[in-house]
């Protein structure tokens, strides 16, 4: 089948892409491992973890037993750069900007999964309240459906999970100039908060519950306003919630229209925009069950009769299309591969 | 303690309120049982269930074992009316209007938990697509925080679960004329869909998921527009979702303001409106864990800086304040009791 | 109804029981609050919490808002003893034995929810690996279905959650001398592990999972062997698991019979043993949904055809019958009240 | 890496294995699709569903959108047999035996995921209470870790989910003749009950709950006694429970030893037995999170000190190693491929 040709035919480039992962014991690092272990053109040469340095991955994370002989190593930028064509930095923000400049200087390309290179320096320092140690560095925002120029980038800033779902839901309509204002009401699984136990991730606090947080002040708002720049930031609202689920973000975009549109116009706008985008699936009412574990973003919409409200729903797996899967999609493009390679896998349904 | 006086001091009225429940085997009927069994002024005299007629409640529903000797009986309006001062009709819409007229004629008061008497006949027939068999009947909409006249009503139309959470979140601001438009993004536990298994309530379909439905067309929209009539219906949006939880509705009300307001103005508006309302608790960020199993509606809010958006969050237990608890609160008022009687119980936390 | 007479008729003892709670911010302390706030004969006079001293309970735990004006206070044994007839110590083991002697000396009775007084000193020191600071103190093991002498006790050692479910399932058969050996395979909600976030309680680790732990070495084994002393400890096996649920323990007791028995014999043994025990309900196949939030222990059984295996299942809410509800039941007996008072409440179903 | 060679190197056999799936809309059929779509040597030529005949898979099951152009077709054994080298029958028991004889006669090999060919005819008719329509047919029980002869089979009876986890946990010890008796206490996700909504799968009934069922009478007991024939059936106990999880079976095997063994003896027994078995991972304490979505069976054990009880725990994904993944593993062996092909994929953690 078509999709198999994609996944298994080895390219004619004789050698595999050598990949290094910095921050291999967090959820995004582990998800990179999960995806790249099945990637036909990749050889993982280094995975770092300060905490688990020296231990085999499968001994620390049993789901990887029998699947790799790799051991976690401590962070040595020199050593990793010598063994990798590309390095994924899956570390907290502020940590990435300590590593990236040297890795680039040593001739490796970088995909940074942190927030450090997603915004221009001025905005970053305002939103994150820290001084940027690598100001002005040029990076491409790695939402490749909007930024095909990731192909030529040495440094890709992988988008945040919420912005991925929100921007993919609204961008086609904003570009089509039919949007007056948008409110993103997002519902996320708790894995987005990371692997460290907190009061929010404490099972008795989250099960049978749903918790809104940073109701009008979430940092990801800045990425949405940057990518939907045709709209005044004050006309882009964002309110996130955590739900009792491990993975997934469902974004309900309440769009107030600038002018009346018909359902088939909306459909035409989405189809035109995502026609050649393999990981965006338009149609039906999305939910998390259909994207769990996969790199797809499912999008559906409904126009309110007798009103100017258009509701667009998007669903992604926050750890795949919202993080590590999108990073691998970017890597494919950066190395001239089919962007689908290693990613055309069905979600885990049920 | 004060609240105990409420619950346990028997009133001087010599006799108990005799209660009949029609539709005792659905979730709202069972919840009425759960609450009324602890009510100091109530004697339950009849509980009907076509399906389980003749069987003891505790044999069909083990959680009631050792707590009552009652048996389900078939529906006989005459027999029930003779044994009850008030009848709760906990049946699907269209069924209630078959029963209510005769029960009233026989001199019983009625609290209807269905949708049959919540809307004026014309709107009801349009929204529910059926002919009303008891048109023009006067009923009081049983959101007693807005309708103190439930006290004198013979027929109370108990509000829908979504409208309860949405209206309590927005009404004070709408009445204060600061609201230009509101979008209710609601997240509900699945018990609101009833006790019958469906594809939506199938565990593999709902666990680890969240599903939007009737995205712009939910019938409860009509109750919201009726109670928030100061706003044009087209300026009231409502989109419901089911979440993987049994109980609770969290409503995120995205309010676009007609004019700038300060946080303390908003607080003053809510405090003034709910000052003497024992079951509305204003302050903090609400979640479902704090209201699970209780009759409280928790409300919190946040103003977006540099924008005209005010986010109000409300949390209720859909089966208690959203249905049976609110019905008992109405009963208390109808019979001149303290509205708190039998209801001042903490939620089941954790 | 009978059960209401129980709950609401104030006794003729003019005064309420004054209750102090040491350790009011943990799950068992909060559960004591939840239950005692509805108890007709109790006045809560003091609730301690080092961490939250000075703050109102409702400000720290929103589910208690509007229900009590109490403030957490720091631990002063003198002050509490002066204001209480009975003190509940809801603190970790080793902490309780620091408090109990002085509270008793000051003339208060005590129900200790920790493990400190459940075992004889020698066994305790072996199992918990610490020196007992109050050795040899006489306490009654507060499983009142087996120990009616709690009535006369000044110090009651409230049973562990697992032992409560396990012992109630097996004791009648062990006493009837039909048991050769028993293996308790227990499944518990995570609230039993307490309010502090851990890797085990981290939602992504527990949801969609089940985790066995302390597979053959759980400390509660010692309580089971003490209360089922007719059996050699080596013939009592216990393996606990945590399941993705907040509350409840389901215990599957695999009993190997010493001699053949008929189903009606087993039924007769249970009925005879629990005939006059209001909180043990025998019959049907138990599950957690029927006991959630209630003080009941539901028990059912099935004999394997052609084998000597009898499977007994018990279900409790670990925080109620497994902890705080059982403690209140003991308090009722210690003060000459009906043991059901304040506890005959249906579970939260659904 | 080694495992990639396995997955992607196309074999020298010029042509792909042509696969037909009968019963493609149930959970095991969908899981076969999920796995086979990534299998480098397979071409899926036919998928049947009476209910959805004529519709594209991706239109009925959105998680398959963009991944296949296949349409469901009605069942025509002739047509399917002409287009397939092997047919998977993923249908309810009694249905399979209607199809299998003709498919075999037409020269296709068959892997039956139903129970129809797992037991000898006499036992089958007794356990399932129906007359077998294809009595005496020779099939190999497809637990290939015990039955390497699946290689040469034309008909493989794929094992039940519970037996897979139970037998893999106990067989090495039973064969080593150290087992006197075993009690399997199994906990299963609800997907094992299928895609049709029932009272058991109704979210409010299963969430926050755990339900034992067929406590001593589950049909899978017959498979366990057949494969552990060294033990008297009366000495093999099996009690299943459903837990609030979608996927996975954790089996707690309480083994009573015939003679004392040391931990390293047990380890040696397991290592010797599973040394060359890529999908059985021995060591650590298994849980469902590490096998979710993968074909691995994780096994761990603990010896009880001072007792003759050995507890062995196994964890599998009921839909993968417990059904469709094991079926693909069998297919690989039947066609002379590396048994790991298409299956060496990490579980979906978290």
């Amino acid at each position: 089948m078509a999709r198999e040709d994609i996944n298994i035919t080895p390219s004619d480039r004789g050698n595999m892409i050598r990949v290094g992962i910095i921050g291999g014991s967090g959820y995004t690092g582990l998800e990179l491992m999960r995806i790249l272990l099945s990637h036909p053109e990749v050889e993982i040469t280094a995975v770092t973890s300060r905490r688990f340095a020296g231990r085999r991955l499968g001994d620390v994370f049993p789901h990887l037993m029998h699947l790799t002989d790799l051991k976690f190593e401590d962070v040595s930028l020199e050593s990793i750069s010598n063994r990798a064509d590309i390095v994924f930095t899956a570390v907290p923000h502020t940590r990435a900007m300590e590593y990236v400049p040297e890795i680039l200087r040593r001739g490796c390309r970088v995909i940074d999964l942190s927030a450090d290179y997603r915004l221009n320096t001025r905005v970053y320092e305002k939103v994150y309240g820290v001084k940027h140690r690598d100001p002005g560095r040029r990076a491409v925002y790695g939402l490749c459906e909007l930024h095909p120029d990731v192909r030529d980038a040495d440094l890709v800033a992988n988008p945040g999970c919420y912005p991925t779902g929100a921007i993919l839901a609204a961008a086609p309509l904003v570009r089509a100039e039919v949007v007056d204002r948008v409110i993103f009401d997002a519902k996320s699984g708790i894995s987005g908060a990371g692997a460290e136990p907190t009061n929010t991730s404490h099972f008795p606090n989250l099960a049978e519950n749903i918790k809104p947080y940073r109701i009008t002040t979430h940092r990801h708002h800045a990425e949405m306003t940057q990518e939907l720049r045709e709209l005044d930031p004050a006309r882009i609202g964002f309110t996130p919630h955590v739900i009792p689920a491990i993975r997934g973000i469902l974004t309900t975009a309440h769009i107030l229209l600038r002018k009346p549109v018909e359902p088939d116009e909306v459909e035409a706008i989405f189809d035109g925009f995502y026609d050649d985008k393999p990981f965006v699936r338009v149609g039906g009412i999305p939910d998390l069950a259909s994207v769990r574990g996969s790199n797809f973003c499912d999008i559906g919409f409904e126009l309110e009769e007798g009103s100017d409200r258009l509701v667009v729903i998007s669903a992604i797996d926050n750890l795949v299309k919202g993080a590590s899967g999108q990073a691998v999609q970017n890597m494919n493009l950066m190395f001239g591969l089919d962007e689908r390679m290693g990613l055309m896998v069905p979600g885990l349904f049920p």
Side-chain angles (χ1 to χ4, degrees), chain A residues 113-230:
Chain A
L113 284 83
S114 87
D116 284 354
Y117 295 93
R118 296 174 189 161
L119 306 167
N120 76 50
T121 303
R122 189 186 45 72
V123 176
Y124 176 88
E125 295 188 338
K126 181 162 173 299
V127 172
Y128 288 86
V130 292
K131 186 124 199 58
H132 203 299
R133 303 203 190 163
D134 184 27
R137 166 90 56 187
R138 195 192 166 290
V140 176
Y141 188 77
L143 192 55
C144 57
E145 283 80 9
L146 277 71
H147 295 276
D149 52 329
V150 292
R151 279 192 173 71
D152 316 308
D154 287 327
L155 172 59
V156 166
N158 213 58
C161 50
Y162 284 121
T164 298
I167 295 163
L168 289 175
L173 300 158
V174 170
R175 298 285 171 86
E177 299 186 329
V178 298
V179 179
D180 176 54
R181 115 179 253 160
V182 58
I183 294 163
F184 296 112
D185 189 295
K187 299 87 174 172
S188 175
I190 189 66
S191 58
E196 285 309 308
T198 65
N199 278 319
T200 305
S201 74
H202 188 50
F203 191 93
N205 293 344
L206 184 56
E208 294 295 306
N209 201 2
I210 172 171
K211 293 174 88 72
Y213 69 106
R214 293 187 198 149
I215 294 172
T216 63
T217 58
H218 196 288
R219 288 159 161 176
H220 282 173
H221 184 261
E223 290 177 54
M224 301 172 190
T225 56
Q226 169 181 284
E227 297 302 309
L228 303 173
R229 60 173 59 81
E230 297 83 351

Side-chain angles (χ1 to χ4, degrees), chain A residues 58-331:
Chain A
D59 294 339
V60 182
F61 298 103
H63 69 292
L64 296 177
M65 260 192 297
H66 285 206
L67 292 166
T68 173
D69 300 326
L70 282 166
K71 287 181 177 176
F72 286 115
E73 54 190 72
D74 209 338
V75 181
S76 158
L77 301 182
E78 175 176 8
S79 159
I80 292 169
S81 302
N82 291 340
R83 289 176 290 150
D85 304 306
I86 182 165
V87 172
F88 293 87
T89 46
V91 294
H93 73 277
T94 72
R95 179 74 49 79
M97 55 184 163
E98 298 174 22
Y99 300 151
V100 169
E102 180 172 347
I103 302 169
L104 289 169
R105 213 186 59 247
R106 292 176 172 279
C108 285
R109 299 167 85 175
V110 175
I111 296 177
D112 175 29
L113 284 83
S114 87
D116 284 354
Y117 295 93
R118 296 174 189 161
L119 306 167
N120 76 50
T121 303
R122 189 186 45 72
V123 176
Y124 176 88
E125 295 188 338
K126 181 162 173 299
V127 172
Y128 288 86
V130 292
K131 186 124 199 58
H132 203 299
R133 303 203 190 163
D134 184 27
R137 166 90 56 187
R138 195 192 166 290
V140 176
Y141 188 77
L143 192 55
C144 57
E145 283 80 9
L146 277 71
H147 295 276
D149 52 329
V150 292
R151 279 192 173 71
D152 316 308
D154 287 327
L155 172 59
V156 166
N158 213 58
C161 50
Y162 284 121
T164 298
I167 295 163
L168 289 175
L173 300 158
V174 170
R175 298 285 171 86
E177 299 186 329
V178 298
V179 179
D180 176 54
R181 115 179 253 160
V182 58
I183 294 163
F184 296 112
D185 189 295
K187 299 87 174 172
S188 175
I190 189 66
S191 58
E196 285 309 308
T198 65
N199 278 319
T200 305
S201 74
H202 188 50
F203 191 93
N205 293 344
L206 184 56
E208 294 295 306
N209 201 2
I210 172 171
K211 293 174 88 72
Y213 69 106
R214 293 187 198 149
I215 294 172
T216 63
T217 58
H218 196 288
R219 288 159 161 176
H220 282 173
H221 184 261
E223 290 177 54
M224 301 172 190
T225 56
Q226 169 181 284
E227 297 302 309
L228 303 173
R229 60 173 59 81
E230 297 83 351
L231 285 182
D232 175 332
R235 304 187 78 69
I236 300 173
F238 170 48
T239 300
H241 308 68
V242 285
I243 60 172
I246 300 171
R247 286 168 174 256
I249 294 177
L250 187 104
T251 304
T252 308
H254 302 279
I255 289 174
L256 306 185
L257 295 162
R258 181 183 299 183
K259 56 185 179 191
V261 293
E262 293 304 314
D264 53 6
E265 293 179 66
V266 178
E267 202 158 336
I269 289 170
F270 276 114
D271 291 347
F273 201 90
Y274 292 125
D275 187 25
D276 58 344
K277 305 294 187 293
F279 291 112
V280 180
R281 306 186 293 197
V282 179
I285 298 304
D287 69 6
L288 302 183
S290 300
V291 297
R292 183 187 308 135
S294 86
N295 195 52
F296 291 101
C297 174
D298 289 358
I299 293 177
F301 67 89
E302 192 169 300
L303 266 164
E304 181 160 25
E305 211 174 289
S307 159
D308 59 348
R309 185 172 67 119
L310 165 65
V311 182
V312 181
I313 315 272
S314 72
I316 61 170
D317 183 317
N318 57 303
L319 294 180
V320 190
K321 183 58 177 172
S324 305
Q326 180 149 253
V328 172
Q329 185 181 359
N330 285 324
M331 178 202 73

